[in-house]
């Protein structure tokens, strides 16, 4: 179908919840995607940090074909071998003892909030339910998770919002210390704020939060929906900090694009969920968890977290050099692994648009930050090409 007609129908029939770029992507292979006019792009978005193994990875495609032809869905009234195996793998490679599977990041965070509240009530007073979250964070778009997202721009028009959330500045331990009281169930935080601008806290921040939570007997919930699954150069973002959470949420890269979410917890915390307390029709079905299993085993076999650490160093190094050459266009580069942000002077939307014209897809974050989140399999040549494109665009705009 003609692209113009497609975009016209999109305009007419889809709810306009997102500002879409004027193109339709129809095919992908590794780090590359093609639009409906046949134009090729380097994909440094990974569908917002999702397609860690790249597009159309042969092992992922093989599992999808096989599992779709064998058994797609059964419901959680039955034991699901793929779900059991994926849960075991996630637990074997993390702090966690048990997993709840769902279908998205927001849903994984909803489950974490419910679990933390239920645990807190069973291990304290019946009015312990508050969740402390960080300004600039992002936890999803459902009513509870958008309220957990301490950014008023996402709340506007959706009031009344659910109660039981308290906001403190990110990277400020004193503020958390002051906010914790007898009503607090949990502190919830991203190891690195992704949507908020690729904000990396000080080294002592997560250990400090762990200590404050332990002293007060409240839970530490890490939202690793963007930072998990190797993105930061370690399997989990928390591994950089030397501490472990009580609850961790995952989604995005867990099944490389097949919708999935997961809430992981220690034995003691997970025991707050008993039969009938929580659920999901689709969550953890044979299809999604079979793909998750293939993604996880491939990630470990191909040592993708280590690869992301090395390629991320190259990417940051190259971008830092660009920033030094164009200080009037770019003011800072930061990141960990393959989650990288560049603070810009020209409007980020203009830079993203100009890069797209030149065949490079990028994300934004925060107020005016360019966010790069390529597939973890990205090769050095593609990294250099992407950085060259960004430099050409910034040089053009600085004139
Ligand atoms: C840290 C974090 N938490 C939660 C979410 C929400 O995930 P989903 O869009 O799958 O509901 C996102 C999505 O960008 C995220 O980055």
């Amino acid at each position: 179908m003609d692209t113009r007609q497609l975009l016209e129908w999109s305009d007419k029939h889809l709810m306009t919840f997102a500002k879409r770029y004027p193109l339709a992507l129809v095919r992908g292979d590794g780090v590359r995607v093609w639009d409906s006019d046949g134009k090729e792009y380097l994909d440094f978005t990974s569908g917002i940090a999702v397609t860690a193994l790249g597009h159309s990875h042969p092992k992922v495609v093989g599992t999808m074909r096989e599992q779709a032809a064998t058994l797609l869905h059964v419901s959680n009234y039955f034991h699901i071998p793929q779900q059991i195996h994926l849960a075991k793998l996630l637990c074997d490679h993390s702090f966690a003892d048990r997993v709840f599977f769902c279908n998205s990041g927001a849903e994984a965070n909803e489950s974490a909030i419910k679990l933390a509240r239920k645990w807190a009530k069973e291990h304290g007073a019946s009015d312990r339910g508050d969740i402390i979250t960080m300004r600039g964070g992002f936890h999803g778009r459902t009513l509870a998770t958008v309220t957990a997202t301490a950014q008023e721009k996402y709340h506007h028009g959706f009031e009344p919002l659910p109660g039981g959330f308290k906001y403190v500045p990110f990277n400020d331990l004193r503020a958390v210390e002051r906010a914790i009281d007898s009503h607090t169930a949990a502190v919830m935080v991203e190891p690195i704020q992704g949507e908020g601008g690729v904000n990396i806290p000080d080294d002592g921040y997560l250990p400090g939060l762990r200590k404050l939570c332990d002293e007060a007997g409240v839970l530490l919930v890490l939202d690793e929906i963007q930072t998990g699954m190797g993105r930061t150069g370690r399997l989990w973002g928390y591994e950089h900090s030397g501490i472990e959470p009580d609850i961790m949420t995952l989604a995005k890269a867990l099944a490389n694009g097949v919708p999935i979410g997961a809430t992981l917890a220690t034995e003691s915390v997970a025991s707050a969920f008993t039969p009938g307390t929580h659920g999901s029709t689709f969550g953890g079905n044979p299809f999604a968890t079979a793909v998750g299993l293939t993604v996880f085993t491939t990630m470990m076999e191909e040592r993708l977290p280590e690869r992301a650490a090395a390629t991320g160093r190259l990417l940051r190094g190259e971008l830092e050099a660009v920033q030094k050459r164009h200080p009037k266009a770019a003011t800072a580069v930061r990141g960990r692994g393959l989650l990288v942000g560049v603070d810009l002077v020209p409007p980020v939307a203009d830079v993203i648009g100009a890069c797209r014209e030149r065949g490079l897809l990028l994300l934004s974050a925060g107020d005016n930050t360019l966010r790069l989140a390529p597939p973890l399999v990205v090769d050095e040549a593609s990294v250099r090409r992407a950085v060259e494109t960004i430099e050409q665009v910034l040089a053009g705009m600085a004139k």
Side-chain angles (χ1 to χ4, degrees):
M1 172 172 286
D2 163 45
T3 302
R4 200 186 44 80
Q5 173 77 86
L6 209 54
L7 300 192
E8 212 177 287
W9 285 355
S10 169
D11 241 14
K12 193 163 171 209
H13 297 297
L14 289 172
M15 292 201 193
T16 48
F17 64 93
K19 217 172 180 178
R20 293 177 198 267
Y21 303 135
L23 66 135
L25 297 177
V26 294
R27 189 163 70 85
D29 182 11
V31 190
R32 295 173 304 161
V33 286
W34 287 264
D35 73 14
S36 48
D37 294 327
K39 181 172 170 180
E40 182 182 319
Y41 301 85
L42 251 186
D43 181 7
F44 269 50
T45 73
S46 308
I48 323 185
V50 169
T51 52
L53 301 189
H55 297 282
S56 308
H57 190 289
K59 285 187 184 163
V60 176
V61 173
T63 297
M64 287 204 268
R65 286 215 168 97
E66 202 177 305
Q67 192 58 47
T70 309
L71 186 66
L72 199 69
H73 176 79
V74 290
S75 96
N76 283 299
Y77 282 122
F78 304 95
H79 289 286
I80 298 169
Q82 295 82 359
Q83 184 185 123
I84 297 164
H85 283 300
L86 182 57
K88 182 170 183 328
L89 257 187
L90 290 172
C91 291
D92 287 349
H93 288 87
S94 75
F95 74 98
D97 300 305
R98 289 181 186 268
V99 185
F100 168 79
F101 287 105
C102 50
N103 311 288
S104 69
E107 217 187 315
N109 283 337
E110 285 270 348
S111 305
I113 293 164
K114 285 178 74 177
L115 183 63
R117 286 184 171 167
K118 193 145 188 310
W119 181 90
K121 288 183 171 63
E122 288 168 8
H123 292 78
S126 59
D127 61 352
R128 262 182 91 192
D130 285 357
I131 312 288
I132 297 173
T133 64
M134 312 305 157
R135 293 248 169 234
F138 187 86
H139 299 293
R141 301 284 198 155
T142 61
L143 273 173
T145 59
V146 87
T147 309
T149 297
Q151 301 193 56
E152 276 75 15
K153 67 178 178 188
Y154 293 113
H155 300 168
H156 189 63
F158 299 119
E159 303 83 357
L161 299 171
F165 293 91
K166 256 187 178 176
Y167 308 143
V168 295
F170 184 57
N171 201 22
D172 183 344
L173 288 171
R174 290 288 308 281
V176 177
E177 190 174 6
R178 281 196 299 271
I180 290 178
D181 62 22
S182 61
H183 300 290
T184 309
V187 172
M188 185 165 164
V189 63
E190 297 156 86
I192 295 173
Q193 290 187 331
E195 302 297 312
V198 192
N199 303 321
I200 304 175
D202 298 339
D203 286 348
Y205 185 58
L206 288 183
L209 286 182
R210 179 71 275 174
K211 189 159 172 281
L212 289 175
C213 288
D214 288 343
E215 284 166 2
V218 309
L219 300 178
L220 179 60
V221 181
L222 290 186
D223 177 340
E224 294 245 19
I225 286 161
Q226 191 150 157
T227 54
M229 300 295 294
R231 171 65 48 195
T232 67
R234 305 289 287 267
L235 185 54
W236 314 121
Y238 71 74
E239 289 179 59
H240 296 278
S241 70
I243 59 109
E244 291 181 339
D246 302 295
I247 300 177
M248 170 170 81
T249 53
L250 301 175
K252 290 196 183 282
L254 187 52
N256 212 56
V258 171
I260 192 170
T263 307
L264 287 73
T266 59
E267 183 67 40
S268 127
V269 174
S271 67
F273 276 169
T274 50
T277 50
H278 195 45
S280 166
T281 298
F282 295 122
N285 81 9
F287 186 75
T289 47
V291 177
L293 259 179
T294 295
V295 170
F296 200 95
T297 47
T298 307
M299 206 170 254
M300 301 314 276
E301 277 163 21
E302 296 184 7
R303 303 175 73 85
L304 290 188
E306 289 94 323
R307 184 167 163 170
T311 323
R313 269 193 297 277
L314 171 73
L315 176 59
R316 278 199 313 284
E318 296 283 301
L319 286 169
E320 277 159 11
V322 169
Q323 189 273 320
K324 286 202 180 84
R325 288 194 287 272
H326 305 278
K328 289 195 177 133
T331 54
V333 175
R334 60 182 168 272
R336 206 164 257 165
L338 285 170
L339 181 58
V340 178
V342 183
D343 288 340
L344 296 178
V345 177
V348 65
D350 295 353
V351 173
I352 289 176
C355 286
R356 193 173 61 241
E357 293 291 314
R358 290 169 167 76
L360 171 66
L361 302 181
L362 295 164
L363 294 163
S364 66
D367 291 334
N368 205 41
T369 299
L370 194 63
R371 181 172 33 146
L372 296 89
L376 306 190
V377 294
V378 69
D379 55 289
E380 285 191 19
S382 299
V383 165
R384 291 186 201 282
R385 229 182 83 203
V387 175
E388 264 170 41
T389 305
I390 293 169
E391 177 154 31
Q392 281 165 12
V393 166
L394 293 183
M397 285 183 172
K399 273 180 196 159

